[in-house]
C-alpha cells in the first residue's frame, strides 16, 4: 500500500446511514470496517461531531478502505467536506492527522487518517460531550 494512501477513519456524518455517506463515500468502491480511535467526541451545535485528541476515551466509527483507482478523488472530496485546506492552514475546520485505529472484529491496529476538529475550546464550550464516543448511537437516541 502506498504510505500516503492510508485508510480513513470516520465517526460522524460520513458513516453509513447519514447524508454525507451517500454523497462522499457511497459513490466510491470501498470497504468499511468497524473500529475505534483514542479521543473525545463532541456533538456540535452545527449538527455534526468534532473529535478532539485529548484524553483516554475512545471514539467509535468505521475505517474506510477506498479502492486505489478512486482513492485520490475520494480523499479530495472528504478534505473539501471537512474544510481541510492543508496541514496547519488557519482556514481548516478540521485537521487531517494520522492516528492508530483498532479494528473491532480482530483488534488489529492500523494507521489511518482522521479528521480532528480544530477549535477545541468551541467544542468544549458549546458541544455535547459524548462519553461513549458513539455519534451514531447518539443520533439514534435523538431520533435523527
Amino acid at each position: 500500500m502506498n504510505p500516503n494512501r492510508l485508510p480513513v477513519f470516520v465517526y460522524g456524518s460520513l458513516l453509513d446511514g447519514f447524508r454525507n455517506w451517500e454523497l462522499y463515500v457511497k459513490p466510491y468502491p470501498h470497504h468499511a470496517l468497524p473500529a475505534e480511535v483514542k479521543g473525545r467526541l463532541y456533538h456540535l451545535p452545527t449538527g455534526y461531531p468534532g473529535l478532539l485528541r485529548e484524553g483516554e476515551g475512545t471514539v467509535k466509527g468505521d475505517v474506510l478502505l477506498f479502492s486505489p483507482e478512486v482513492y485520490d478523488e475520494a480523499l479530495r472530496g472528504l478534505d473539501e467536506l471537512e474544510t481541510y485546506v492543508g496541514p496547519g492552514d488557519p482556514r481548516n475546520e478540521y485537521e487531517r492527522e494520522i492516528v492508530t485505529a483498532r479494528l473491532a472484529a480482530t483488534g488489529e491496529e492500523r494507521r489511518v487518517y482522521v479528521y480532528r476538529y480544530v477549535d477545541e475550546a468551541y467544542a468544549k464550550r458549546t458541544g455535547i460531550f459524548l462519553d461513549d464516543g458513539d455519534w451514531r448511537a447518539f443520533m439514534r437516541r435523538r431520533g435523527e
Side-chain angles (χ1 to χ4, degrees):
M1 173 189 291
N2 180 331
N4 296 319
R5 288 187 170 182
L6 295 175
V8 180
F9 178 81
V10 297
Y11 54 87
S13 68
L14 289 166
L15 293 168
D16 190 355
F18 294 97
R19 178 159 172 74
N20 285 333
W21 179 85
E22 293 282 337
L23 298 171
Y24 293 92
V25 178
K26 183 180 178 183
Y28 303 102
H30 69 281
H31 293 287
L33 305 171
E36 61 185 32
V37 299
K38 294 276 186 204
R40 294 171 57 90
L41 195 62
Y42 289 81
H43 176 73
L44 303 171
T46 47
Y48 50 80
L51 180 146
L52 306 184
R53 75 172 123 208
E54 67 171 37
E56 290 300 312
T58 57
V59 174
K60 295 172 180 61
D62 289 339
V63 169
L64 302 178
L65 303 145
F66 289 104
S67 295
E69 63 274 4
V70 300
Y71 181 90
D72 293 336
E73 183 179 349
L75 194 64
R76 274 193 302 275
L78 298 181
D79 285 350
E80 182 178 315
L81 172 69
E82 304 293 4
T83 317
Y84 171 71
V85 179
D89 192 294
R91 296 171 291 173
N92 290 345
E93 181 177 12
Y94 288 82
E95 190 74 35
R96 179 165 30 102
E97 298 180 346
I98 297 173
V99 300
T100 300
R102 181 181 307 273
L103 300 182
T106 64
E108 174 190 351
E109 293 186 344
R110 295 233 180 139
R111 287 172 32 98
V112 298
Y113 285 130
V114 69
Y115 291 93
R116 180 187 55 81
Y117 191 70
V118 172
D119 192 347
E120 293 188 9
Y122 174 78
K124 290 176 185 177
R125 186 177 67 254
T126 66
I128 299 168
F129 173 61
L130 305 182
D131 60 354
D132 66 355
D134 190 337
W135 191 74
R136 178 183 277 150
F138 171 79
M139 294 302 282
R140 285 185 186 140
R141 288 190 300 269
R142 288 178 52 142
E144 296 181 29

